[in-house]
Amino acid sequence: MGLLENKVAIITGSGSGIGKEVALTYAKEGAKVVIADFNEEALQVTVGEFREAGYTAHGVKVNVVNEEDVKNMFAEAISVFGQVDILVNNAGIGDNMQAAANVQDETWNRVMDINVTGVMRCIRQALPHFEQIGGGIIVNMASLSGVAGGRGGFTYTAAKHAVVGMTKNVASHYGEMNIRANAIAPGNVETGFSAKMTNIDQFGMKQALRGVSYMTKSGKPSDIANIALFLASEQSSLMNGTVLVADGGWSAY
């Protein structure tokens, strides 16, 4: 029997990258997975791949900034699978490494909307359902930028610190209801995330990468997915409000 046998998991931003790897890892361990992504083409391809491999998957297009989309995501998951046991808040975007003096309002608003407000909306929707069914698990994708000050752009750093704070707050307030919230703080992971950035702030990039020579190695999506599996399973039953840094020791220097 798998670690997540018959559990139902929603993973936002799971059409590709780390989110897709998390969904695949959960599915291999017996979970029924909801592939939730803004990119409808990517999510449908992923759902098709999962079903072809014999896994139980359902796709939902969602913009986590939109309250109605988030409500629909949960309603559809519950309609199809009966309940939701696990929420992985993985959807997020970067800020082009903009330093504090160079932050553009448009960048600030978009990153905060998706990386902070989107996480809040999903958590807010999940908690009453978790209370109703007697418990649930939240895994938030933070970042090394959420526990260190100088590894990313100003807005992204602020957003991921907010994710860490929300994680600890939920764990503190809802732990007695058998609801656990933990976060993962990856360092550099080979996903092409940084390659998608345009108009990079050269000063911000230079400052953020000052310690990169001390990084032992980059991670792979599977490295993060294995941690997400641990946090979603009963193997981590005593962990609540924890932020697990996964950076190969980069932040230890």
Side-chain angles (χ1 to χ4, degrees):
M1 181 176 287
L3 290 173
L4 301 181
E5 199 71 33
N6 295 319
K7 298 293 185 181
V8 178
I10 292 176
I11 304 100
T12 66
S14 52
S16 61
I18 290 174
K20 181 176 180 178
E21 193 68 29
V22 171
L24 179 59
T25 302
Y26 283 12
K28 287 178 177 178
E29 290 292 334
K32 302 168 185 175
V33 295
V34 177
I35 308 298
D37 205 292
F38 184 70
N39 186 329
E40 188 167 12
E41 181 180 357
L43 79 86
Q44 292 300 344
V45 168
T46 296
V47 169
E49 291 174 355
F50 279 36
R51 288 176 176 170
E52 189 174 342
Y55 304 126
T56 304
H58 180 76
V60 180
K61 182 178 180 181
V62 61
N63 177 357
V64 294
V65 175
N66 186 296
E67 179 72 10
E68 290 306 311
D69 273 18
V70 173
K71 285 182 178 179
N72 175 68
M73 176 178 70
F74 275 89
E76 197 166 324
I78 293 167
S79 174
V80 172
F81 293 130
Q83 67 183 52
V84 175
D85 305 284
I86 303 160
L87 167 66
V88 180
N89 284 307
N90 171 76
I93 60 168
D95 66 353
N96 299 329
M97 304 300 288
Q98 289 175 2
N102 303 325
V103 172
Q104 298 170 342
D105 284 357
E106 181 182 0
T107 300
W108 174 272
N109 292 334
R110 180 165 167 72
V111 171
M112 286 295 176
D113 279 348
I114 295 173
N115 294 11
V116 180
T117 304
V119 173
M120 176 277 289
R121 291 192 191 286
C122 292
I123 290 174
R124 184 169 65 186
Q125 199 64 35
L127 287 173
H129 178 68
F130 287 167
E131 289 182 58
Q132 182 181 13
I133 66 173
I137 291 171
I138 296 169
V139 179
N140 291 327
M141 202 60 66
S143 166
L144 184 56
S145 293
V147 294
R151 308 292 173 135
F154 181 76
T155 307
Y156 189 77
T157 299
K160 291 303 184 178
H161 269 76
V163 171
V164 168
M166 288 189 286
T167 302
K168 292 177 178 292
N169 180 271
V170 170
S172 173
H173 287 189
Y174 292 86
E176 63 187 26
M177 300 175 193
N178 196 34
I179 295 171
R180 296 195 292 118
N182 293 291
I184 307 172
N188 189 50
V189 180
E190 298 169 0
T191 62
F193 181 79
S194 59
K196 295 176 184 175
M197 290 192 289
T198 58
N199 301 316
I200 293 173
D201 182 332
Q202 294 305 313
F203 173 75
M205 178 69 86
K206 174 176 166 285
Q207 297 302 95
L209 295 182
R210 284 174 298 175
V212 76
S213 61
Y214 296 108
M215 186 169 60
T216 55
K217 64 177 181 177
S218 295
K220 294 184 169 121
S222 59
D223 295 322
I224 308 306
N226 287 334
I227 298 170
L229 172 61
F230 170 66
L231 291 177
S233 76
E234 285 304 303
Q235 292 187 339
S236 61
S237 61
L238 199 59
M239 299 181 72
N240 203 9
T242 298
V243 182
L244 293 182
V245 175
D247 67 351
W250 187 18
S251 58
Y253 293 96

